[in-house]
């Protein structure tokens, strides 16, 4: 059974801090790992990672994948109150009976105080 | 203006009642999905559909049913057999099943 575990489950920081969110996975046929941000409603897409060691960056957010150790990290630098959200990690399965299936972790609740 | 819409925003279900959640997309995506989100848990897959007139069960399909008669629509029915239906339901779509999924705004289902 595919499994995705995120840590920490919750995190409270002050504006300006840097945070690192972790995601480890076990999946039978890995295709890619995705990060989403969820603020009350629909998760919004952040990154899709397919190859090891290649950092993806968008403003203050960056993410990298390690396919050997089966984990990914999401970094947020100079955090702002608008970064407060649930961050979801998900792994996309490439084959077999789970073809195309996205398995989600529990999410990390990030709270940024002014 | 392309996107995914879900309705209603809030839905109340009485005991023994079937209710249907709507999901429509105008992104011309082939694949569509239904997830359930409970507090403290990630999203769990209920059903997904790769093409019109075809769908597969996800991890928690019991007590739910779907149809895919049109490319843009993928309604989810929560039947009376689903004993714990209170949750946040999210619909998603992707160009094909191996690509990034994009989510609708969700429907919150509550049991009276």
């Amino acid at each position: 059974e595919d499994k995705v575990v995120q840590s920490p489950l919750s995190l409270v920081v002050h504006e300006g801090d840097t945070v690192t969110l972790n995601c480890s996975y076990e999946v039978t046929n890995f295709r890619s790992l995705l990060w989403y941000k969820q603020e009350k409603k629909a998760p919004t897409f952040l990154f899709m990672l397919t190859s090891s060691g290649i950092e993806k960056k968008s403003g203050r957010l960056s993410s990298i994948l390690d396919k050997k150790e089966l984990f990914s990290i999401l970094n947020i630098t100079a955090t702002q109150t608008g970064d407060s959200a649930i961050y979801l990690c998900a792994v996309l399965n490439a084959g077999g009976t789970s073809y195309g299936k996205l398995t989600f972790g529990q999410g990390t609740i990030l709270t940024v105080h002014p | 203006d392309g996107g995914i819409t879900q309705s209603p925003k809030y839905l109340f279900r009485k005991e023994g009642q079937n209710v249907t959640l709507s999901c429509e997309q105008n992104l011309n995506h082939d694949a569509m999905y239904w997830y359930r989100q409970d507090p403290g848990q990630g999203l769990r897959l209920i059903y997904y559909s790769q093409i019109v007139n075809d769908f597969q069960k996800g991890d928690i399909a019991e007590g739910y049913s779907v149809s895919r008669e049109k490319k843009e629509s993928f309604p989810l029915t929560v039947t009376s057999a689903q004993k714990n239906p209170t949750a946040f339901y999210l619909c998603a779509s992707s160009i094909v099943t191996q690509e990034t999924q994009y989510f609708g705004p969700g429907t919150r289902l509550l049991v009276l």
Side-chain angles (χ1 to χ4, degrees):
Chain A
E1 184 181 322
D2 296 347
K3 190 175 176 183
V4 178
V5 177
Q6 292 185 243
S7 65
L9 293 181
S10 66
L11 191 55
V12 180
V13 300
H14 290 281
E15 272 192 319
D17 289 348
T18 293
V19 298
T20 298
L21 309 183
N22 304 292
C23 176
S24 62
Y25 63 90
E26 295 173 27
V27 63
T28 48
N29 294 288
F30 177 88
R31 171 168 170 89
S32 56
L33 185 145
L34 292 85
W35 284 98
Y36 289 88
K37 177 183 181 183
Q38 186 178 22
E39 299 172 271
K40 302 208 188 284
K41 291 186 185 177
T44 52
F45 171 72
L46 294 175
F47 299 112
M48 175 186 263
L49 303 156
T50 307
S51 302
S52 262
I54 299 173
E55 185 183 51
K56 293 232 174 167
K57 202 168 168 65
S58 175
R60 296 176 294 103
L61 276 68
S62 63
S63 183
I64 197 161
L65 174 68
D66 185 328
K67 289 169 75 172
K68 184 180 175 186
E69 300 297 330
L70 307 183
F71 78 91
S72 173
I73 60 172
L74 175 69
N75 276 321
I76 309 175
T77 59
T79 52
Q80 302 170 359
T81 55
D83 295 326
S84 296
I86 301 172
Y87 289 84
L88 297 166
C89 172
V91 172
L92 187 60
N93 195 299
T97 56
S98 296
Y99 178 80
K101 180 185 164 188
L102 203 56
T103 300
F104 281 84
Q106 323 94 299
T108 293
I109 303 172
L110 175 64
T111 304
V112 182
H113 288 309
Chain B
D1 194 18
I4 304 171
T5 57
Q6 290 186 241
S7 62
K9 189 174 177 180
Y10 295 96
L11 186 57
F12 298 91
R13 193 191 93 162
K14 295 179 183 177
E15 290 285 337
Q17 187 181 39
N18 292 354
V19 292
T20 297
L21 285 62
S22 168
C23 177
E24 304 275 331
Q25 53 97 1
N26 61 3
L27 301 168
N28 202 32
H29 286 175
D30 281 323
M32 296 186 74
Y33 314 80
W34 274 105
Y35 293 91
R36 170 182 170 139
Q37 188 175 30
D38 294 281
Q41 296 192 41
L43 280 64
R44 292 183 290 166
L45 183 65
I46 304 172
Y47 269 98
Y48 67 105
S49 168
Q50 297 185 54
I51 54 170
V52 175
N53 292 322
D54 182 63
F55 49 82
Q56 288 82 39
K57 292 182 179 180
D59 297 320
I60 54 166
E62 187 175 347
Y64 300 97
S65 66
V66 293
S67 63
R68 187 86 188 276
E69 296 175 4
K70 298 186 296 182
K71 186 175 185 177
E72 57 271 20
S73 178
F74 191 41
L76 173 75
T77 296
V78 184
T79 74
S80 56
Q82 173 48 244
K83 297 305 177 191
N84 185 23
T86 297
F88 189 48
Y89 290 86
L90 285 159
C91 177
S93 71
S94 60
I95 296 173
V96 292
T97 49
Q98 290 292 303
E99 297 300 325
T100 303
Q101 294 179 23
Y102 297 92
F103 287 83
T107 292
R108 193 164 296 279
L109 177 61
L110 300 164
V111 177
L112 295 176

